[in-house]
Amino acid sequence: MTTKFTFGCACRQVTGSFVELAVQIDGHPVANKTSDRLTRYFCGTCGCSIYDYDNYSKAHFVCMGTLDKSEGLVELKKHIFVDDTKDGGASHWLKATYWAGEDEVSKKLDGPPSNDIASTAEEGKSALLCHCQCRGVQFLLTRPNQTSSNVYSPLPDLLVPYHLHSCQKPYDFKWWLRRGGTRYLAGTCACNSCRLSAGYDVQAWVFVPKSNILQADRSPLDFAMGTLKQYSHTNGAYREFCRRCGATVFWHCDERPGIIDVSVGLLDSPRGALAEDWIDWTTDRVSFEEYASNKGLISSLSRGLREWGTKQS
């Protein structure tokens, strides 16, 4: 990057500085007005969420994942809009105060809602609709079937840490299938690639065979469907996001083309955000937690996951 020394009268008078130094930043964030109140801004190249603007309070909210050094600068104090999750979502894993809706305005809760939700008729359906906020990206997950086992993949860092150098084989271990082949494995990731591509310190993925992901009209998955945009951050690895609202959608790579990482936030499960009628959460570790940017936050998340997993068992 290059900088300029500016000596103009207007620049001196508006800044109070004798000389202004400025660095040009390339690119413009994409604006997505999600409601009358909130406008979100994200990178049009990789989909990274950058900041939100509250049109009522005129406040800016910077997405923590864009900060390289957030540890010690921020403190988790509140969970808000918890009721929207139905089952508590990730609020089970991090301790804070709980608010049904907006903090200080809505009802304050004693804790997250129970994830022990009664079954509904919709749970028996063979496909689950998934979509981003603007619905420019819509697709279906189907229940595990015979095709779900006809793929291979090395073990992910979520199950065996890569830094132990033991994640190569066996390829015949169908690790993405859980509970007797009735659920898909899901977990959290704290790697820098996910952080910088999503804009948040934690990204939740569910691992689904490509054959079990269909377009809304039940045709095979197409990475160019709807408003999907692809970003390749490294050789052989690809991410897709919605180019209209910025939602993180998929991650996949050449090493295991038959298994797709699907962003859990897009699952529209009748049971709630945890989508436990479709997925089984791994609570033993956070993927790539050893390399997390905000180690304090991820350490708390890892501890909370293990405690929650113990209560569930």
Side-chain angles (χ1 to χ4, degrees), residues 271-285:
R271 286 186 63 87
L274 291 170
E276 292 185 281
D277 51 331
W278 281 83
I279 62 183
D280 186 49
W281 290 92
T282 290
T283 59
D284 292 336
R285 74 180 254 101

Side-chain angles (χ1 to χ4, degrees), residues 6-295:
T6 306
F7 298 94
C9 292
C11 291
R12 285 186 284 111
Q13 291 165 357
V14 78
T15 64
S17 297
F18 185 63
V19 58
E20 179 187 7
L21 292 87
V23 176
Q24 178 177 324
I25 299 176
D26 295 330
H28 301 279
V30 178
N32 173 42
K33 190 173 183 180
T34 61
S35 66
D36 289 339
R37 177 171 185 172
L38 197 67
T39 302
R40 298 181 183 275
Y41 292 84
F42 64 93
C43 173
T45 300
C46 68
C48 176
S49 294
I50 303 172
Y51 66 90
D52 300 341
Y53 178 69
D54 188 323
N55 297 290
Y56 293 174
S57 67
K58 309 303 180 184
H60 292 80
F61 299 90
V62 177
C63 300
M64 276 181 53
T66 62
L67 306 177
D68 280 337
K69 296 185 182 298
S70 61
E71 188 164 15
L73 298 177
V74 295
E75 181 182 0
L76 175 63
K77 287 190 173 182
K78 304 173 183 178
H79 294 299
I80 62 175
F81 295 101
V82 176
D83 273 1
D84 282 6
T85 67
K86 296 182 183 179
D87 57 12
S91 68
H92 288 282
W93 308 332
L94 288 166
K95 290 181 173 60
T97 57
Y98 300 83
W99 295 87
E102 188 174 355
D103 55 312
E104 311 301 337
V105 177
S106 64
K107 180 182 178 182
K108 189 174 183 179
L109 307 175
D110 293 331
S114 171
N115 61 313
D116 186 16
I117 300 173
S119 298
T120 66
E122 293 186 28
E123 288 187 35
K125 290 186 176 181
S126 60
L128 176 67
L129 178 65
C130 306
H131 60 84
C132 63
Q133 187 268 335
C134 74
R135 292 183 180 263
V137 176
Q138 300 187 69
F139 57 95
L140 300 172
L141 296 190
T142 62
R143 297 284 182 185
N145 52 30
Q146 186 175 0
T147 68
S148 306
S149 299
N150 297 336
V151 290
Y152 65 88
S153 171
L155 290 166
D157 179 87
L158 182 66
L159 298 180
V160 182
Y162 278 172
H163 73 274
L164 297 181
H165 303 291
S166 56
C167 290
Q168 297 307 312
K169 291 189 177 183
Y171 283 104
D172 58 346
F173 174 41
K174 311 303 179 183
W175 53 263
W176 53 91
L177 298 177
R178 309 275 280 208
R179 296 194 188 182
T182 64
R183 300 285 192 278
Y184 297 115
L185 172 72
T188 53
C189 182
C191 77
N192 283 324
S193 177
C194 282
R195 175 178 64 84
L196 294 173
S197 295
Y200 306 104
D201 289 275
V202 182
Q203 170 64 36
W205 298 112
V206 55
F207 304 91
V208 183
K210 188 176 181 180
S211 62
N212 293 108
I213 307 174
L214 305 176
Q215 296 188 58
D217 62 1
R218 292 186 174 270
S219 57
L221 174 62
D222 182 352
F223 292 122
M225 65 184 183
T227 54
L228 272 184
K229 182 176 181 179
Q230 187 174 93
Y231 171 64
S232 181
H233 59 98
T234 187
N235 290 335
Y238 314 91
R239 294 179 183 272
E240 279 79 27
F241 65 95
C242 174
R243 63 175 178 267
R244 190 160 64 195
C245 71
T248 298
V249 182
F250 300 126
W251 184 93
H252 52 105
C253 65
D254 294 339
E255 183 181 27
R256 53 171 174 87
I259 299 293
I260 310 298
D261 296 13
V262 179
S263 193
V264 176
L266 306 186
L267 275 61
D268 197 0
S269 166
R271 286 186 63 87
L274 291 170
E276 292 185 281
D277 51 331
W278 281 83
I279 62 183
D280 186 49
W281 290 92
T282 290
T283 59
D284 292 336
R285 74 180 254 101
V286 176
S287 186
F288 294 105
E289 60 185 70
E290 296 83 7
Y291 307 101
S293 174
N294 191 327
K295 295 188 183 301

